[in-house]
Amino acid sequence: MKEDKVLVTGAGGQLGTVLVKALRKLKGTKNVIATDLFVKPEQQDLMLPLDATDIEAVAQLVVEREVTQIYHLAAILSAQGEKQPLKTWNINLKSFFTILEVARRHRLDKVFFPSSIAVFGTKAPKKHTQQDIFLNPTTVYGMSKAAGEHWANYYFIKYGLDVRSLRYPGIIGHQSLPGGGTTDYAVDIYHRAVNNEPFICYLKADTALPMIFMEDAVRATLELMEVPEYQIRTRTSYNLSALSITPAEVVKSIKKWYPSFEVTYKEDFREAIARSWPSSILDTQAREDWGWKPRYLLDDITIEMINELKKKYNLHA
Ligand code: SER
């Protein structure tokens, strides 16, 4: 049987950093081509520079390296996106069109497109938000993801392209830093705690958002991409749920290990973005179609984050 050859865009990002490692373990190092717009000198052995909006460059790499699957992670996230709305729309959509077209023209086996809880807006129910609910995203990032989901579905219906997608909650992981999202606090807060530094939270204490631990997010992605095609019944994007937490709950969990951890709340524009998103989502379809089940709850995440970050920062106390 032919081996899968996987191209990953945005491989230097929060999810990409960890997903590439998992893919290399699964498919073999030589079969995973990690790319990003900018590659740091220390990453040059592991990653190639690639502009995912450049269709010629993407097509050339796909042909040269006989790529069979693309994980298209490159995007500008929600908070960063609000600073440059038109640029965000252009980059997020243009890069996805590039990937879809290259995949169609070169008859690739599969494409992965990350969507987000940001596709939901104020007209969706706040709690236990279902899969097929009205979408009125209020951030340009959310608009680009909602549009991307419809394009994924379109390429499946019109060209039979096997595009698969997840609506990720905020991802909490120790391996990498998030960049420019509304959910970033839930990673940054652990870095502060283990370094015994105070944390200023840009969301209100009681603003609940859906979140997921990195290990669960990576496993969900690989599980979705590995199941037989007939099991995929949602071709826009699957709701993916693990837990729903507020900053106050994260602080309470951290205080079990760092009782004197200090947090002050000073909301900024990200509070309004968070308030426009669901506080929890229902992932019934993902569970039914391909057996999704999260493993990590808040205290499990806190223990993992603290232990791993202490190693990273060389803190043994
Ligand atoms: N984590 C993302 C963000 O905050 C949501 O998908 O932008």
Side-chain angles (χ1 to χ4, degrees):
M1 213 176 80
K2 185 176 80 162
E3 277 188 324
D4 295 329
K5 276 263 179 154
V6 184
L7 170 67
V8 183
T9 71
Q14 186 199 8
L15 176 61
T17 309
V18 190
L19 188 62
V20 163
K21 279 197 186 133
L23 279 167
R24 285 189 167 147
K25 212 166 153 192
L26 188 68
K27 313 265 181 201
T29 304
K30 68 173 190 342
N31 292 327
V32 180
I33 305 143
T35 71
D36 211 314
L37 185 56
F38 302 111
V39 177
K40 295 188 198 122
E42 66 270 21
Q43 295 173 317
Q44 269 166 6
D45 293 343
L46 296 167
M47 223 185 278
L48 295 174
L50 179 72
D51 178 352
T53 65
D54 181 346
I55 194 161
E56 307 299 331
V58 175
Q60 194 184 343
L61 192 61
V62 162
V63 172
E64 274 174 16
R65 303 291 292 267
E66 299 180 336
V67 167
T68 62
Q69 304 183 359
I70 303 181
Y71 285 66
H72 175 48
L73 307 183
I76 299 180
L77 296 189
S78 60
Q80 189 61 23
E82 291 311 288
K83 295 179 185 158
Q84 298 166 301
L86 296 183
K87 183 177 169 192
T88 300
W89 176 263
N90 277 332
I91 288 182
N92 289 4
L93 265 302
K94 194 174 173 200
S95 63
F96 192 36
F97 290 146
T98 296
I99 300 305
L100 288 173
E101 266 307 280
V102 170
R104 179 184 74 80
R105 290 181 204 168
H106 296 278
R107 298 179 187 284
L108 300 200
D109 296 338
K110 284 176 210 169
V111 170
F112 178 74
F113 172 67
S115 187
S116 162
I117 51 165
V119 296
F120 298 110
T122 47
K123 295 202 171 146
K126 201 76 194 129
K127 283 191 184 162
H128 310 308
T129 311
Q130 289 153 315
Q131 180 79 44
D132 295 314
I133 229 74
F134 184 74
L135 303 182
N136 68 319
T138 52
T139 60
V140 69
Y141 169 73
M143 285 156 57
S144 74
K145 289 296 180 189
E149 289 187 2
H150 292 301
W151 279 104
N153 189 45
Y154 183 87
Y155 267 69
F156 173 71
I157 293 169
K158 186 142 178 142
Y159 306 116
L161 183 64
D162 187 359
V163 193
R164 305 181 183 191
S165 176
L166 295 173
R167 288 174 178 155
Y168 290 116
I171 301 177
I172 305 176
H174 50 82
Q175 303 92 330
S176 51
L177 286 171
T182 300
T183 56
D184 295 10
Y185 90 86
V187 177
D188 299 339
I189 195 167
Y190 287 102
H191 286 256
R192 292 288 176 159
V194 298
N195 284 297
N196 288 306
E197 289 167 3
F199 181 67
I200 301 173
C201 186
Y202 55 77
L203 295 185
K204 284 188 178 163
D206 64 348
T207 300
L209 283 173
M211 298 276 180
I212 190 168
F213 192 45
M214 179 66 85
E215 271 69 2
D216 272 344
V218 167
R219 184 171 53 82
T221 311
L222 297 178
E223 283 177 6
L224 172 76
M225 289 298 276
E226 294 299 313
V227 291
E229 195 174 343
Y230 70 85
Q231 280 180 247
I232 311 292
R233 292 186 303 167
T234 292
R235 287 293 178 175
T236 47
S237 188
Y238 280 100
N239 277 11
L240 183 74
S241 176
L243 57 156
S244 162
I245 44 174
T246 65
E249 285 162 347
V250 178
V251 172
K252 195 171 160 208
S253 175
I254 290 175
K255 280 194 167 182
K256 291 180 190 166
W257 287 272
Y258 291 87
S260 54
F261 182 46
E262 271 174 47
V263 178
T264 44
Y265 295 92
K266 205 168 163 228
E267 64 183 281
D268 69 15
F269 71 102
R270 288 170 282 190
E271 171 65 20
I273 298 179
R275 289 276 166 186
S276 76
W277 293 349
S279 55
S280 64
I281 61 173
L282 271 187
D283 57 6
T284 319
Q285 261 94 339
R287 287 171 188 257
E288 282 176 9
D289 290 2
W290 44 277
W292 164 244
K293 201 166 184 284
R295 290 186 187 149
Y296 290 83
L297 296 177
L298 182 55
D299 280 346
D300 310 321
I301 296 175
T302 298
I303 291 170
E304 290 283 324
M305 289 297 284
I306 290 174
N307 287 340
E308 294 303 320
L309 289 177
K310 271 165 69 177
K311 282 187 218 159
K312 186 176 272 190
Y313 287 111
N314 254 326
L315 303 164
H316 303 291

